[in-house]
Amino acid sequence: MRAELEIFRALADPTRLRIVALLRAMELSVGELAQVLGQSQPRVSRHVKILVDAGLAERRKEGSWVFLGLGDPVRVRPLLDAIDGWSEEGEDHWMRADIARLAAVRADRQAAAEAYFAAHADQWDAIRSLHVAESEVEAAMRRALAEEGIGRLVDIGTGTGRMLELFGGEATSAIGIDRSPEMLRLARAKLAEAGLERTEIRQGDMYALELPSDAADTVILHQVLHYAQQPAAAIAEAARLLDTGGRLLIADFAAHQREELRSRDAHARLGFSDDQIAKWFDAARLDGGLVDELRGGELTVKLWLGRRKAGRRLKVVAA
């Protein structure tokens, strides 16, 4: 009974209900919540603490930033269903205002990332040398995918097209998708030089790919996820593309504390833990987890492999 009282006390405040609604859309820092809500950070922090203590929200520290997400789905999902069922038709003015300001936060994040990519497109492969040698990462990725053929390949966040260059020749079809026109221009030139002109390059959004479900046998997210504003949503969208038995391979950084990478290199996330990836895989109905860990550079690179099993369909979860 005590847990139930804490939950309902936590929700018995309009601001905390607004915070829960925002966290359903995406993970946010305390500062971003304060920006959207139009309240001071100390006040928002007090509301967040109440939600965290009730198990309705979770904190995750990354360097000097703290990101907030919804709590354990077992506890939170029934409450969200009840809130949806009790809500009157239409959105109130607070919700409309919050959604508009949340869109502005997303736009600010995206603009900063796009400006960085446009300015550094021609240096992209060199920038990635911050971690263990890329040749070692690529060899590990080959090992991770060696048991089966590549089949229909989709490389999300293809950048200069290196993954298409590496695996495209073995694929029955290969599509590279990136949001940056500058990156795609370089990718087209590189792939033409490699004799892979038939590899398809498209501009697109990793959260809303213009590809049908079950369209891929292999999907790759290579050094992309740490730029994602919504990594859970990016993984879910990648998983949507997979046919039964299809594989999603993620190569990215282990959790670290290199705070300067946010401002210097536009990193949205300071790497990922195995538990985080496992949680997002489960939500996306993928089986699997860590398959390799590469140390030796300033940052550790990890490879996670998820597989779409028969009968396992995506479920709707908060981002």
Side-chain angles (χ1 to χ4, degrees), residues 9 14 23 52 94 124 128 131 168 180 182 200 209 212 222 310:
R9 283 171 181 158
L23 295 181
V52 169
W94 286 113
W124 193 242
R128 283 175 165 167
H131 51 78
S180 167
E182 289 79 9
E200 189 175 352
L209 299 167
H222 173 241

Side-chain angles (χ1 to χ4, degrees), residues 153-164:
L153 171 66
V154 177
D155 180 31
I156 300 172
T158 195
T160 59
R162 178 54 185 162
M163 292 298 102
L164 296 176

Side-chain angles (χ1 to χ4, degrees), residues 211-247:
L211 291 171
S213 299
D214 307 332
D217 302 300
T218 304
V219 176
I220 293 175
L221 284 166
H222 173 241
Q223 296 294 4
V224 170
L225 210 59
H226 61 263
Y227 292 107
Q229 301 172 22
Q230 300 168 267
I235 288 175
E237 180 66 354
R240 180 186 66 79
L241 302 183
L242 292 174
D243 204 347
T244 299
R247 299 169 296 171

